[in-house]
């Protein structure tokens, strides 16, 4: 009996946190236009990571985005997404970094250091970008386009950031006010580049926005981390590498999806889209997440096991899961509209 009584507080604890999670996903889901709780099934979503896949499976995922390989709307899958290839990309890049580190440590080869900086900066952001490439169920963006956005878009967003920094005093980035300004500058710079590529490729789907945003954020993260590592050493590389699971790539993916949510389908992004509530809410969320990350909070408890960072990572991924749900809902809606239109034409 005592054992049963001791379980009750634990059960109430989990029920309380599940209730908070449901409230958070419902609130955020309302920003996308649906007033429902979003159920998050992490083990189901990433279950394919632990299954066997051969080389043909991997190669088939990359053969997309051309006139011959882009599926029709009817052929697009509305089933829950289950990415897996990103984990193999992560493993290859991670193994490459370990080998370079062994080369450096075992033979004192300084020639390995540039490779360590590049691969270490690349591993997490690039793997995340591949995950968003996998979950783009419309398969309408090719690898060539993706790499162009990753490289050129990442650099353009850094250029835009430097221009904004020259125009707006940002301070040291540590106080709350300064961190907020830094978040505004960097997320706005990336947002402008995301909007450019959305217009350039005439993209219209939420999953497209997630992917383009992730690619630009990943490029930004890679070049920024490489630059900081060159200044402050390999310890900075290790810190920024694991933290990249919830920073620029995720924040930019959120903004990319929000841009698609705010614009009219088959119409370019315009200034009026940038003040639409569907965009502004997620845009402000990205800025606040960035500001919260940079802020040197005066609470010692947040320094324990990087609680501040983990909390912000969780919030960012919560937004990603809500937007993935919105993307799948968009597929079902479009397919339903197509079926209805075809039935009307047939009648």
């Amino acid at each position: 009996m005592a054992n049963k009584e001791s379980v009750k507080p634990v059960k109430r604890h989990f029920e309380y946190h599940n209730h908070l999670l449901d409230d958070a996903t419902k609130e955020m889901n309302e920003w996308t236009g649906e007033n429902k709780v979003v159920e998050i099934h992490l083990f189901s979503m990433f279950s394919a990571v632990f299954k066997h896949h051969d080389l043909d499976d991997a190669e088939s995922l990359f053969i997309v985005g051309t006139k011959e390989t882009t599926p029709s709307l009817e052929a697009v899958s509305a089933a829950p997404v289950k990415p897996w290839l990103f984990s193999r990309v992560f493993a290859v890049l991670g193994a490459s970094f370990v080998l370079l580190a062994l080369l450096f440590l075992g033979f004192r080869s300084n020639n390995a250091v540039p490779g360590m900086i590049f691969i270490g900066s690349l591993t997490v952001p690039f793997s995340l970008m591949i995950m968003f490439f996998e979950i783009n169920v419309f398969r309408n963006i090719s690898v060539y386009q993706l790499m162009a956005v990753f490289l050129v878009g990442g650099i353009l967003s850094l250029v835009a950031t430097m221009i904004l920094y020259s125009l707006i005093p940002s301070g040291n980035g540590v106080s709350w006010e300064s961190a907020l300004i830094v978040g505004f500058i960097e997320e706005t710079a990336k947002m402008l580049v995301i909007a450019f590529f959305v217009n350039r490729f005439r993209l219209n789907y939420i999953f497209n926005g997630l992917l383009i945003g992730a690619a630009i954020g990943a490029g930004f993260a890679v070049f920024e981390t490489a630059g900081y590592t060159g200044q402050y050493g390999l310890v900075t590389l290790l810190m920024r590498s694991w933290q990249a699971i919830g920073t620029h790539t995720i924040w930019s993916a959120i903004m990319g999806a929000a841009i698609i949510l705010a614009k009219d389908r088959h119409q370019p992004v315009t200034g009026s889209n940038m003040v639409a509530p569907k965009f502004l809410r997620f845009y402000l969320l990205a800025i606040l997440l960035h500001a919260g990350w940079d802020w040197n909070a005066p609470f010692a408890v947040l320094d324990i096991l990087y609680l501040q960072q983990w909390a912000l990572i969780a919030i960012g991924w919560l937004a990603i899961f809500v937007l993935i749900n919105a993307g799948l809902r968009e597929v079902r809606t479009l397919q339903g509209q197509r079926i209805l239109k075809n039935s009307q034409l047939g009648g």
Side-chain angles (χ1 to χ4, degrees):
M1 187 70 176
N3 288 337
K4 290 183 179 179
E5 290 298 323
S6 64
V7 168
K8 286 182 179 180
V10 177
K11 184 178 179 182
R12 285 196 294 269
H13 175 79
F14 280 106
E15 287 177 346
Y16 172 73
H17 282 86
N18 284 336
H19 181 68
L20 286 179
L21 181 63
D22 288 346
D23 287 346
T25 60
K26 183 178 179 182
E27 173 69 26
M28 208 173 288
N29 202 23
E30 288 178 358
W31 300 356
T32 72
E34 183 182 59
N35 185 23
K36 289 183 180 180
V37 169
V38 175
E39 296 183 2
I40 298 173
H41 303 289
L42 284 177
F43 290 108
S44 176
M45 178 174 172
F46 295 110
S47 59
V49 168
F50 307 102
K51 296 180 179 179
H52 172 73
H53 301 276
D54 57 29
L55 185 60
D56 289 339
D57 294 332
E59 290 179 342
S60 65
L61 291 175
F62 286 116
I63 307 172
V64 297
T66 68
K67 291 181 179 179
E68 294 77 20
T69 58
T70 300
S72 64
L73 179 59
E74 291 81 3
V76 170
S77 173
V81 293
K82 295 187 177 182
W84 61 270
L85 182 61
F86 75 96
S87 65
R88 276 52 168 185
V89 172
F90 176 80
V92 169
L93 292 172
S96 300
F97 179 81
V98 170
L99 290 173
L100 286 166
L102 290 175
L103 179 63
F104 173 68
L105 296 172
F107 296 94
R108 297 294 188 269
S109 174
N110 290 328
N111 290 334
V113 173
M116 290 175 63
I117 294 174
F118 176 70
I119 297 296
S121 301
L122 187 71
T123 300
V124 174
F126 191 83
S127 300
L128 285 174
M129 182 185 72
I130 295 299
M131 187 199 78
F132 286 104
F133 179 72
E134 288 184 82
I135 67 176
N136 176 32
V137 297
F138 293 96
R139 301 287 185 261
N140 60 336
I141 298 174
S142 69
V143 173
Y144 174 78
Q145 289 174 307
L146 182 64
M147 294 308 299
V149 174
F150 170 69
L151 293 171
V152 179
I155 295 170
L156 281 177
S157 61
L158 286 169
V159 171
T161 296
M162 291 300 101
I163 292 172
L164 290 177
Y165 272 130
S166 69
L167 298 174
I168 304 172
S170 60
N172 57 14
V174 174
S175 68
W176 174 247
E177 297 84 356
S178 179
L180 195 60
I181 295 171
V182 170
F184 167 76
I185 288 173
E186 295 193 8
E187 297 312 310
T188 299
K190 290 184 292 179
M191 176 267 291
L192 293 172
V193 179
I194 294 168
F196 168 78
F197 278 103
V198 167
N199 283 345
R200 177 71 179 82
F201 295 145
R202 299 179 182 177
L203 302 176
N204 298 292
Y205 307 118
I206 293 171
F207 281 126
N208 296 167
L210 281 169
L211 176 54
I212 292 298
I216 289 168
F220 186 102
V222 168
F223 294 120
E224 184 181 57
T225 296
Y228 281 135
T229 302
Q231 286 181 275
Y232 303 114
L234 292 175
V235 173
T236 299
L237 175 65
L238 297 175
M239 287 293 297
R240 289 182 63 88
S241 292
W242 76 260
Q243 293 176 348
I245 61 173
T247 56
H248 287 293
T249 308
I250 300 304
W251 303 333
S252 298
I254 291 169
M255 289 192 295
I259 286 173
I260 299 293
L261 279 168
K263 83 180 192 74
D264 295 327
R265 195 176 306 283
H266 303 300
Q267 297 297 319
V269 180
T270 63
S272 61
N273 302 141
M274 300 297 100
V275 295
K278 282 187 177 181
F279 171 75
L280 282 178
R281 289 164 179 162
F282 285 108
Y283 168 60
L284 291 174
L285 175 63
I287 290 174
L288 290 173
L289 287 172
H290 192 148
W293 193 278
D294 290 346
W295 179 39
N296 188 11
F299 308 109
V301 68
L302 293 178
D303 292 330
I304 301 173
L305 298 176
Y306 301 100
L307 289 179
Q308 180 176 346
Q309 286 78 14
W310 283 116
L312 294 167
I313 288 170
I315 295 169
W317 275 99
L318 189 68
I320 292 295
F321 290 130
V322 167
L323 289 165
I324 289 173
N325 177 76
L328 292 172
R329 188 173 74 245
E330 180 182 47
V331 175
R332 293 190 294 268
T333 300
L334 291 172
Q335 289 177 337
Q337 292 172 348
R338 178 66 61 88
I339 291 171
L340 179 61
K341 181 179 179 181
N342 289 342
S343 65
Q344 291 173 341
L345 292 174

